[in-house]
Amino acid sequence: MAFLAWPLERNHIRRNITNNAFGMVRNGGSKAHQGWDLYAPPGTPCYAIAEGEVVDAYYNGAYGNNVVLRFAHGGQVLYAMYCHLSVMAVRQGLVKRGDLLGLTGNTGNAASMRGEDQHLHFEIRTTRHSGTGLDGRMNPAKLYGIAPIGWTYYESHQQKKQVLVGLGLKVKGINVREVVQ
Ligand SMILES: [Zn+2]
């Protein structure tokens, strides 16, 4: 089974609350959040979670600058969407897992975000152009096994030692976790 990288070196849900995770988690369960908000100060590098093809990179309204990576996983074609970017490093073409796709920012409806609210909005889609609500989206936790709530770092593959000594997950292509089926 292929490995998936995490989109950032350090991954945790913004403010560690469930309404910044995926699902009908807002307005008392009546409003969708279509992906994960991963806390990230502007300029944080975003990495390709899998080998695939960048199929879209443009200013997309509320999502701001977004880069869309098409990849295959578990027999499915999926789309990873990186939003509110300040820099789109790849506009189109093939990429390898761990390649830099862009830098986080506050574009789109994240323009007023400051401090601990600054984030990467990260979606997994089952279709390139999905609709409103949760239509065409998948919970990223389905791929990673868990939403990183309460985690400062997420690690595996013998990376724990590096985390404990404060190095984080900095090795390109090693910031990965095997998906348990
Ligand atoms: Zn969001």
Side-chain angles (χ1 to χ4, degrees):
M1 190 68 197
F3 295 84
L4 286 181
W6 288 78
L8 306 175
E9 288 183 353
R10 301 174 181 186
N11 301 271
H12 71 95
I13 298 289
R14 175 163 67 95
R15 294 190 180 275
N16 286 315
I17 53 176
T18 51
N19 60 330
N20 292 326
F22 175 91
M24 299 301 291
V25 293
R26 292 187 168 168
N27 291 3
S30 63
K31 186 169 179 238
H33 185 232
Q34 299 161 327
W36 281 348
D37 285 354
L38 296 170
Y39 166 71
T44 300
C46 301
Y47 300 107
I49 63 168
E51 176 182 274
E53 182 176 5
V54 170
V55 293
D56 288 309
Y58 62 105
Y59 186 86
N60 186 8
Y63 296 108
N65 293 320
N66 78 159
V67 171
V68 180
L69 170 69
R70 180 168 62 203
F71 65 104
H73 189 76
Q76 245 186 313
V77 174
L78 299 170
Y79 299 82
M81 191 169 160
Y82 303 72
C83 306
H84 307 314
L85 302 182
S86 56
V87 172
M88 296 180 282
V90 179
R91 299 294 175 133
Q92 60 175 10
L94 300 176
V95 295
K96 292 199 162 48
R97 183 180 60 209
D99 280 356
L100 180 73
L101 296 186
L103 303 178
T104 63
N106 294 325
T107 57
N109 67 4
S112 64
M113 297 286 188
R114 297 289 180 270
E116 293 296 309
D117 283 319
Q118 299 179 105
H119 66 278
L120 170 71
H121 176 87
F122 176 72
E123 291 188 13
I124 298 293
R125 294 183 165 189
T126 54
T127 179
R128 184 169 170 182
H129 302 292
S130 39
T132 57
L134 298 181
D135 178 58
R137 275 87 173 180
M138 174 189 281
N139 188 345
K142 264 188 101 172
L143 295 184
Y144 290 99
I146 193 170
I149 295 180
W151 297 79
T152 304
Y153 304 97
Y154 210 107
E155 42 72 27
S156 68
H157 292 285
Q158 321 306 319
Q159 295 296 297
K160 191 169 187 178
K161 194 172 157 197
Q162 289 192 38
V163 171
L164 290 176
V165 297
L167 296 176
L169 299 170
K170 297 188 185 302
V171 183
K172 179 178 167 181
I174 303 296
N175 179 14
V176 295
R177 180 170 186 271
E178 187 168 21
V179 174
V180 179
Q181 292 292 301

